[in-house]
Amino acid sequence: MRRKLVIGNWKMNGSIAKNQLLLEAVIAGVQDLHHVDCVVCVPYPYLGQAQALAQGTKVIWGAQNLCASEDGVLTGGVSPHMLVDYGCQYVIVGHSERRMLSHETDDTAAARFIAAIKAGLTPIFCMGETKEERESDWTDYVVGRQLDSILRRFGPEVLAKAVLAYEPLWAVGTDNPATPEQAQQVHKFIRHRIAKCDAHVAKSVRILYGGSIQPSNAPALFAMHDIDGGLVGRCSLDAQAFVAICAAAN
Ligand code: 13P
């Protein structure tokens, strides 16, 4: 039985004052939800604040990206060990916004993925197709290629230390979520592809859905067999909505 997991991706939002209100409300709201893991992935400057507020609570914190290399000559870089230093357990890798706007490729995402694993962090590895790719029936091809960039390179065992997220680009930041059936179909495809390499890992790895999750659509999405929780963008900035989504997973 896979334990449900809900991760808030705050993206480039927040301020010290706003974060405090948001985190305190989330911490209070989820404290009695015993059957779900709740994570917030915050911008780098607020990792210390997240650590100070969330330590010892049910809320786990993480980052939204990392560099693949260790400390060195890389202006603006944040290394895996820096995230560990701030008590991060999770880090998002290969989000579509980074793949598209920051020229992340399958290769650079794979390098970040393995750097996270080596540092003892749990990467949240994002995959998903564009609207045009879906309309051309390329969803399996694109998601399969993204998955293979990890699976073929590092073998299935590393996935036991990771979380996967299916985030169709046409559903991210829109008001157009995938239907539970559409999402389930891709999640099942991902799990089957892993199962061909390692049935045990396929059964245990958590695959999250992301893209316009709201309190109203979360219960139906989370009821699907291969959907193990959510990666939540906008609604993670609203404590009431985020707690309601965590409660739906609980
Ligand atoms: P929204 O929930 O705002 O659509 O964002 C999803 C996402 O990108 C989470 O990583």
Side-chain angles (χ1 to χ4, degrees):
M1 184 71 181
R2 296 179 298 270
R3 191 175 157 83
K4 287 274 197 283
L5 169 64
V6 176
I7 299 177
N9 175 7
W10 288 8
K11 306 194 179 181
M12 197 171 69
N13 292 291
S15 68
I16 290 176
K18 279 189 201 163
N19 302 344
Q20 173 150 2
L21 293 174
L22 174 57
L23 258 178
E24 283 176 352
V26 168
I27 288 165
V30 303
Q31 67 177 353
D32 294 326
L33 303 180
H34 300 298
H35 306 291
V36 59
D37 294 328
C38 306
V39 179
V40 289
C41 289
V42 310
Y44 291 143
Y46 302 128
L47 284 173
Q49 186 187 21
Q51 182 178 33
L53 288 171
Q55 196 139 46
T57 76
K58 217 195 115 54
V59 174
I60 303 163
W61 61 97
Q64 298 171 17
N65 192 25
L66 82 169
C67 287
S69 46
E70 270 310 328
D71 300 3
V73 280
L74 187 52
T75 303
V78 173
S79 70
H81 100 83
M82 293 175 187
L83 302 185
V84 173
D85 235 6
Y86 275 98
C88 289
Q89 289 184 38
Y90 289 84
V91 59
I92 297 173
V93 171
H95 191 279
S96 58
E97 286 151 14
R98 298 211 63 87
R99 286 184 192 262
M100 293 189 62
L101 302 174
S102 305
H103 309 293
E104 182 88 286
T105 63
D106 286 345
D107 287 344
T108 58
R112 290 185 216 282
F113 177 95
I114 204 68
I117 297 266
K118 283 183 181 156
L121 295 158
T122 301
I124 304 152
F125 184 74
C126 301
M127 300 167 282
E129 80 288 5
T130 63
K131 184 167 178 280
E132 294 71 30
E133 287 163 345
R134 172 161 282 261
E135 284 169 357
S136 310
D137 238 352
W138 287 1
T139 301
D140 288 0
Y141 169 76
V142 171
V143 172
R145 191 203 71 219
Q146 292 167 336
L147 178 62
D148 284 356
S149 74
I150 302 299
L151 198 52
R152 302 261 174 256
R153 201 170 307 208
F154 306 122
E157 302 78 21
V158 291
L159 294 180
K161 298 177 186 161
V163 168
L164 298 175
Y166 170 56
E167 292 209 316
L169 274 68
W170 46 270
V172 169
T174 65
D175 282 315
N176 184 28
T179 65
E181 293 73 23
Q182 282 173 319
Q184 165 60 23
Q185 198 175 21
V186 180
H187 283 230
K188 188 174 167 189
F189 165 79
I190 293 169
R191 208 178 293 286
H192 275 189
R193 201 170 179 102
I194 300 168
K196 284 188 198 151
C197 302
D198 189 319
H200 180 71
V201 170
K203 222 173 174 178
S204 62
V205 68
R206 291 189 284 189
I207 309 175
L208 311 184
Y209 167 77
S212 299
I213 297 185
Q214 295 170 10
S216 57
N217 59 30
L221 284 161
F222 297 164
M224 302 311 275
H225 184 260
D226 290 297
I227 300 182
D228 305 310
L231 184 53
V232 183
R234 284 156 296 167
C235 280
S236 70
L237 301 171
D238 174 334
Q240 212 181 345
F242 188 65
V243 169
I245 293 167
C246 291
N250 189 59

